[in-house]
């Protein structure tokens, strides 16, 4: 799965390199900037991955947490070890969160490597027009990666909860992915303006803030608070469901 | 028997699945240090009871006390002292046997990580899996997985072992090894609670047994107590079936009906209230000119008792 994620920036970089069609308009944001600096491969790749590929992989990992153990027959043995039900949930959530970070970093690192291999490096002209040193730009990339990771924490909590509802991992994975798509679809409907600030996917693409001077932290703060809210609600639901559940798998 | 001497004690333990009661109001008493056989036909509620004893499922009503504490409330205090195999082994197919054991052991907060390698190797050794320790579980045979499941129950010294059909899928050597293992664990003071429908096995290793039938506990006690309820019987091999049956009936014995037909070559009769001496029975038969070709006295077997308690039918009830 991580290899598939790494393939995204590589495909983008190669496609841009081969066609040199950067200025044709259209395409994902930042696409036209790749020719100026390879680091933009990272941001294009994230723009492509955040709405679809990353939620997909996070849905697979988070949906598998408990249901996967149940279908393996290992859940009962973990519980009589005894792992402790709360502890198991916490460890599983931390695992899913670590995956969010790893998945994001894979996209970033693969993007940076292929970008610098095929396109110019050196100082970077950011979105606000200022030019910053490469080290500064790499630092901003790390902030972007952090932003994307945090964005996925709410979805991970939802996946964990769904995973406690069933013994069929594929069902939990599909349900989590469907919820993420549903959230994005609702986010597209202007009639539901009032709902948008409450959708966990609402701030997913807000990481452009880190590519402007001065850096604005307001999206990051709102997003982090929103994700924390989802984590608390769905963490509590998962606990409520799992703590007293009969393990019959 | 006082509560302190019981490793497992249930009072009115009941589990409903919807409207269907899988376990109905059972009162188990498993003395400490016993090897306790938990018998019952398929679907009689053995595994469901074991799940409640291990805190995996909550009783619908009633109470389950394990090592003196109430489950599932005392899970974190009781479970480290209990090793278990529940409804077959469960492992990650893509990890090796040893890695699987290490992973489960590290899930146990109370198991020391310093001795983990040694304990895993020791447990694998005890079930004869040392040579296959590095093989992926995916590539294990049914019996090898079963052995690995037993090894998991032995990772740390346990006061109580709950083994659900431990010899399922094992070859004769494996079965014998499990019997020896159970005896050796019991001789070191552990209590062993083993569910099975293999009566011969229970008869060989258990000191106590309980019998489940359709969710209810229909008998429990020491093996001798369970056998005693049945009566000894005689088997007479003879061509004169009708004649012999008449003589045995006159001696106050109950002739088993299956024997009275033309093709049969022997008569089986169960002793009545006042058992006659075997030599007197033979004398009476000979006097009545029954051609006796063989005569055997059979003590009641656990199997008779089991069948009489749980019914002859082969089909799973309900
Ligand atoms: N999750 C469940 N939902 C509904 N009914 C169940 C469930 N698990 C078990 N049962 C029912 O409970 C009854 C007892 O099942 P259990 O697994 O305890 O039997 P068992 O004595 O262990 O049988 P076996 O010897 O085949 O292992 C069965 O009739 C079964 O259909
Ligand atoms: Mg069973």
């Amino acid at each position: 799965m991580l290899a598939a994620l790494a393939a995204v920036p590589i495909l983008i970089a190669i496609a841009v390199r081969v066609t040199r069609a950067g200025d044709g308009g259209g395409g994902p944001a930042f696409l036209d900037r790749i020719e100026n600096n390879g680091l933009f491969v990272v941001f294009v790749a994230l723009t492509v991955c955040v709405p679809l590929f990353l939620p997909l992989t996070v849905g697979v990992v988070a949906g598998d947490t408990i249901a996967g153990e149940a279908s393996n027959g290992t859940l009962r043995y973990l519980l009589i070890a005894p792992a402790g039900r709360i502890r198991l949930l916490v460890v599983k959530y931390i695992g899913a969160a670590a995956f969010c970070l790893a998945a994001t970093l894979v996209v970033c690192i693969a993007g940076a490597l292929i970008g610098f291999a095929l396109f110019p490096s050196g100082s970077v002209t950011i979105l606000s027009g200022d030019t910053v040193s490469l080290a500064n730009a790499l630092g901003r990339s790390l902030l972007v990666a952090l932003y994307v990771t945090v964005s996925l924490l709410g979805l991970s909590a939802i996946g964990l909860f769904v995973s406690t509802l069933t013994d069929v991992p594929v069902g939990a994975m599909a349900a989590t992915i469907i919820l993420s798509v549903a959230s994005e679809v609702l986010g597209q409907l202007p009639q539901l303006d009032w709902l948008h600030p409450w959708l966990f996917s609402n701030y997913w693409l807000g990481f452009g803030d880190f590519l402007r001077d001065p850096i604005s932290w307001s999206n990051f703060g709102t997003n982090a608070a929103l994700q924390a809210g989802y984590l608390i609600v769905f963490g509590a639901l998962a606990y409520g469901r799992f703590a007293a559940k009969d393990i019959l798998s | 028997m006082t509560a302190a001497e019981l490793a497992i004690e249930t009072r009115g333990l009941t589990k409903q699945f919807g409207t269907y009661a899988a376990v109905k109001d059972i009162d188990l008493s498993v003395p400490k240090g016993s090897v306790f056989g938990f018998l019952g036909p398929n679907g009689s509620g053995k595994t469901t009871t074991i799940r409640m004893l291990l805190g995996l499922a909550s009783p619908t009503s009633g109470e389950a006390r394990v090592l003196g504490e109430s489950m599932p409330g005392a899970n974190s205090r009781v479970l480290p002292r209990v090793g278990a195999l529940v409804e077959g082994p469960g492992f990650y197919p893509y990890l090796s046997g040893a890695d699987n054991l290490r992973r489960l052991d590290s899930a146990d907060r109370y198991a020391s990580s310093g001795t983990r390698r040694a304990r895993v190797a020791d447990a694998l050794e005890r079930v004869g899996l040392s040579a296959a320790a590095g093989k992926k579980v995916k590539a294990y045979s049914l019996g090898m997985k079963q052995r690995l499941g037993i090894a998991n129950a032995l990772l740390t010294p346990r006061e109580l072992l709950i083994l659900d059909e431990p010899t399922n899928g094992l070859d004769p050597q494996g079965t014998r090894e499990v019997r020896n293992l159970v005896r050796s664990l019991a001789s070191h003071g552990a209590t062993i609670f083993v569910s099975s429908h293999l009566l011969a096995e229970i008869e060989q290793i258990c000191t106590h047994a309980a019998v489940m039938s359709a969710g209810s506990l229909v008998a429990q006690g020491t093996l001798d107590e369970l056998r005693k309820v049945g009566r000894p019987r005689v088997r007479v091999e003879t061509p004169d079936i009708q004649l012999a049956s008449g003589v045995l009936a006159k001696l106050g014995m109950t002739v088993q009906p299956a024997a009275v037909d033309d093709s049969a070559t022997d008569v089986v009769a169960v002793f009545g209230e006042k058992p006659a001496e075997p030599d007197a029975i033979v004398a009476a038969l000979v006097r009545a000119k029954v051609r006796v070709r063989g005569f055997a006295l059979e003590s009641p077997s656990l199997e008779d008792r089991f069948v009489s308690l749980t019914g002859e039918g082969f089909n799973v009830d309900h």
Side-chain angles (χ1 to χ4, degrees):
Chain A
M1 227 153 40
L2 291 176
L5 280 169
V8 172
I10 294 173
L11 287 177
I12 290 171
I14 292 173
V16 171
R17 178 80 211 199
V18 170
T19 61
R20 299 244 166 224
D23 54 358
F30 320 123
L31 191 61
D32 48 343
R33 292 171 179 265
I34 290 182
E35 301 235 8
N36 297 326
N37 195 301
L39 194 57
F40 274 96
V41 172
V42 171
F43 307 125
V44 175
L46 284 177
T47 311
V48 171
C49 286
V50 161
L52 186 62
F53 284 111
L54 280 172
L56 211 77
T57 55
V58 169
V60 167
V61 169
D64 192 51
T65 44
I66 301 294
E69 299 283 356
S71 82
N72 251 338
T74 39
L75 183 57
R76 58 177 184 272
Y77 288 105
L78 287 173
L79 291 182
I80 62 181
R85 296 196 182 202
I86 302 173
R87 184 163 158 264
L88 186 64
L89 277 181
V90 170
V91 168
K92 284 291 178 183
Y93 185 76
I94 292 174
F99 176 82
C100 294
L101 179 64
T104 311
L105 286 179
V106 161
V107 174
C108 293
I109 292 169
L113 291 179
I114 189 82
F116 290 143
L118 299 183
F119 301 100
S121 51
S123 56
V124 184
T125 307
I126 56 174
L127 299 185
S128 54
D130 307 76
T131 300
V132 300
S133 70
L134 183 62
N136 181 314
L138 286 175
R140 288 168 188 260
S141 308
L142 283 182
L143 286 179
V144 168
L146 181 68
Y147 185 100
V148 172
T149 304
V150 168
S151 297
L152 295 169
L153 293 181
L155 181 61
S156 303
I158 294 173
L160 183 74
F161 167 62
V162 173
S163 196
T164 61
L165 299 178
T166 172
D167 294 345
V168 187
V170 182
M173 294 174 193
T176 310
I177 293 165
I178 287 170
L179 285 172
S180 119
V181 172
S183 168
E184 291 184 90
V185 169
L186 293 179
Q188 301 288 320
L189 300 176
Q191 291 85 345
L192 297 177
D193 262 350
W194 54 270
L195 183 64
H196 291 175
W198 301 101
L199 293 173
F200 59 87
S201 59
N202 194 43
Y203 302 93
W204 275 3
L205 289 172
F207 55 81
D209 284 1
F210 291 126
L211 303 178
R212 290 189 187 89
D213 248 344
I215 289 178
S216 150
W217 287 90
S218 77
N219 262 357
F220 185 89
T222 323
N223 184 33
L226 180 68
Q227 301 297 332
Y230 270 91
L231 170 55
I232 290 166
V233 170
F234 282 91
L237 285 173
Y239 168 75
R241 165 70 187 164
F242 191 58
K245 187 186 182 188
D246 281 349
I247 306 301
L248 301 169
S249 59
Chain B
M1 197 165 303
T2 68
E5 291 162 352
L6 293 175
I8 298 173
E9 184 185 21
T10 73
R11 289 281 161 264
L13 191 66
T14 300
K15 182 71 190 180
Q16 304 254 149
F17 291 116
T19 55
Y20 172 69
V23 174
K24 289 177 222 160
D25 197 20
I26 70 170
D27 295 339
L28 269 177
S29 301
V30 178
K32 282 202 172 136
S34 64
V35 178
F36 196 100
F38 194 41
L39 287 164
N42 292 138
S44 55
K46 302 184 296 294
T47 303
T48 307
T49 305
I50 287 175
R51 284 184 196 281
M52 288 189 280
L53 294 179
L54 292 170
L56 289 173
S58 315
T60 307
S61 63
E63 194 191 19
R65 298 182 71 80
V66 177
L67 299 175
E69 301 205 62
S70 183
M71 301 296 281
N75 274 358
S76 63
R77 286 188 301 280
V78 171
L79 291 177
R81 300 151 68 194
V82 179
L85 181 69
V86 195
E87 188 127 284
F91 292 105
Y92 305 93
Y94 296 98
L95 289 182
S96 73
D99 285 341
N100 262 294
L101 291 190
R102 279 196 277 274
R103 188 171 186 273
L104 286 172
D105 191 63
S106 58
D108 179 355
R109 266 170 295 181
Y110 308 91
S112 117
S113 57
T115 58
R116 182 162 299 143
R117 270 178 186 280
R119 286 184 292 109
V120 165
D122 186 49
L124 287 167
E125 167 87 49
R126 288 175 90 170
V127 297
L129 272 185
S130 297
K135 213 171 172 177
K136 287 205 167 59
V137 165
K138 190 165 62 106
Y140 274 23
S141 72
L142 175 67
M144 287 162 82
K145 285 184 198 148
Q146 187 75 11
R147 287 167 186 243
L148 191 61
I150 296 171
N152 174 49
L154 303 175
L155 281 174
T156 54
R158 314 283 194 182
E159 288 167 52
L160 170 65
L161 281 156
I162 297 182
L163 304 174
D164 193 8
E165 308 196 13
T167 56
N168 201 5
L170 291 190
D171 51 26
Q173 290 89 331
T175 311
R176 202 170 58 201
E177 280 307 309
V178 168
R179 278 203 298 270
N180 291 339
L181 198 63
V182 166
R183 287 200 191 100
S184 112
L185 292 165
S187 73
H188 287 94
T191 308
I192 324 268
F193 183 82
V194 44
S195 95
S196 180
H197 35 229
L198 298 178
L199 292 152
E201 204 168 281
I202 297 285
E203 279 200 278
Q204 285 187 51
I205 58 174
C206 293
T207 56
H208 295 67
V211 182
M212 293 285 286
S213 176
S216 302
L217 193 66
V218 288
Q220 79 175 318
T222 65
L223 278 203
D224 289 338
E225 282 165 6
L226 288 175
R227 283 203 202 95
K228 216 179 289 165
V229 180
R231 293 193 175 136
R233 44 188 198 181
V234 293
R235 178 182 298 274
V236 181
E237 213 174 301
T238 172
D240 311 317
I241 300 286
Q242 297 293 346
L243 200 54
S245 301
V247 173
L248 292 172
K250 230 178 279 166
L251 288 170
M253 306 176 76
T254 319
V255 178
Q256 288 191 352
V260 192
D261 78 36
D262 296 340
S263 64
T265 60
D266 56 4
V267 186
V268 178
V270 180
F271 277 93
E273 289 288 343
K274 278 179 274 168
E277 289 297 317
D279 37 10
I281 299 174
V282 180
L285 287 168
V286 171
R287 243 183 282 123
K289 299 218 161 44
V290 174
R291 288 168 287 172
V292 178
R293 292 182 178 161
F295 181 88
L297 196 62
E298 296 178 347
S299 53
S301 74
L302 201 56
E303 183 167 347
D304 299 328
R305 178 80 171 123
F306 183 73
V307 170
S308 76
L309 284 168
T310 59
E312 293 272 359
F314 169 71
N315 291 329
V316 174
D317 297 336
H318 36 79

